[in-house]
């Protein structure tokens, strides 16, 4: 059986982003066509609508959010941390059920970022909430920027 890789749904060309657009990546779409990729959008899985307000990790990184030391605020200032944490845990459920070992995630997202996230409109070092949880459980997470 071939290895299935979890991929951020927006990289697979699905319009799951906050602005209802996609961030298609040729290599990810190729994996999907070959039946080797499973697209998932943690924010949709967490119960957020599309389109939705832009959101950022308030301070620190995804690890701090998971530990309850930081939160996720949308551009209206609403605390939507619980949706992000739910999206991360639901994504982990899929990964564990399917025995997935690797993921390709969209850089700079508060859910999927691997090396960087956006804060105050600027790129800063950090990882998204779902990436932090997957890495904590031993999943190899590859940045979309490194493909
Ligand atoms: S949460 Fe992840 S998969 Fe969903 S739109 Fe944002 S970057 Fe893409």
């Amino acid at each position: 059986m071939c290895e299935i890789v979890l991929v951020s749904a927006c990289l697979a060309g699905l319009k799951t982003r906050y602005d209802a657009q996609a961030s298609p990546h040729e290599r990810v779409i190729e994996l999907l066509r070959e039946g080797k990729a499973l697209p998932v959008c943690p924010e949709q899985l967490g119960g957020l609508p599309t389109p939705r307000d832009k959101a950022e990790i308030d301070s620190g990184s995804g690890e701090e959010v998971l530990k309850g030391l930081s939160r996720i605020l949308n551009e209206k200032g609403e605390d939507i941390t619980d949706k992000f944490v739910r999206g991360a845990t639901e994504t982990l459920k899929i990964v564990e059920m399917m025995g997935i070992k690797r993921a390709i995630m969209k850089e700079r997202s508060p859910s999927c970022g691997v090396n960087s996230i956006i804060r105050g409109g600027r790129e800063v070092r950090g990882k998204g909430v779902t990436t932090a949880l997957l890495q904590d459980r031993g999943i190899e997470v590859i940045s979309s920027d490194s493909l």
Side-chain angles (χ1 to χ4, degrees):
M1 213 173 76
C2 76
E3 184 198 350
I4 303 284
V5 180
L6 184 89
V7 299
S8 294
C10 55
L11 295 174
L14 301 174
K15 294 182 175 179
T16 56
R17 282 178 17 171
Y18 72 94
D19 55 0
Q21 296 302 308
S23 303
H25 194 294
E26 203 180 316
R27 178 69 192 122
V28 172
I29 292 171
E30 203 178 297
L31 284 171
L32 201 70
R33 290 210 173 99
E34 291 167 355
K36 295 176 183 165
L38 177 73
V40 166
C41 175
E43 290 174 24
Q44 288 186 341
L45 273 181
L48 288 165
T50 306
R52 54 189 170 274
D53 292 315
K54 237 190 232 182
E56 290 185 0
I57 299 178
D58 192 31
S59 62
S61 184
E63 297 105 319
E64 281 72 40
V65 175
L66 291 171
K67 287 179 193 155
L69 301 173
S70 181
R71 51 195 188 146
I72 313 263
L73 300 176
N74 67 17
E75 50 197 334
K76 290 188 187 122
E78 295 164 334
D79 184 338
I80 49 169
T81 308
D82 59 334
K83 304 265 194 321
F84 274 69
V85 172
R86 192 184 311 156
T89 53
E90 291 297 289
T91 301
L92 179 66
K93 230 187 259 180
I94 295 173
V95 162
E96 289 180 340
M97 279 193 287
M98 295 188 66
I100 288 172
K101 301 283 179 236
R102 285 197 303 162
I104 300 171
M105 306 295 268
K106 170 76 177 69
E107 199 58 271
R108 289 170 288 281
S109 150
S111 290
C112 298
V114 182
N115 300 309
S116 58
I117 53 175
I118 301 294
R119 181 170 299 121
R122 291 184 173 194
E123 189 169 341
V124 296
R125 278 198 72 76
K127 60 184 75 167
V129 180
T130 298
T131 293
L133 185 61
L134 295 180
Q135 286 183 337
D136 183 64
R137 302 306 159 94
I139 307 300
E140 181 191 355
V141 184
I142 298 155
S143 163
S144 54
D145 281 3
S146 69
L147 294 181

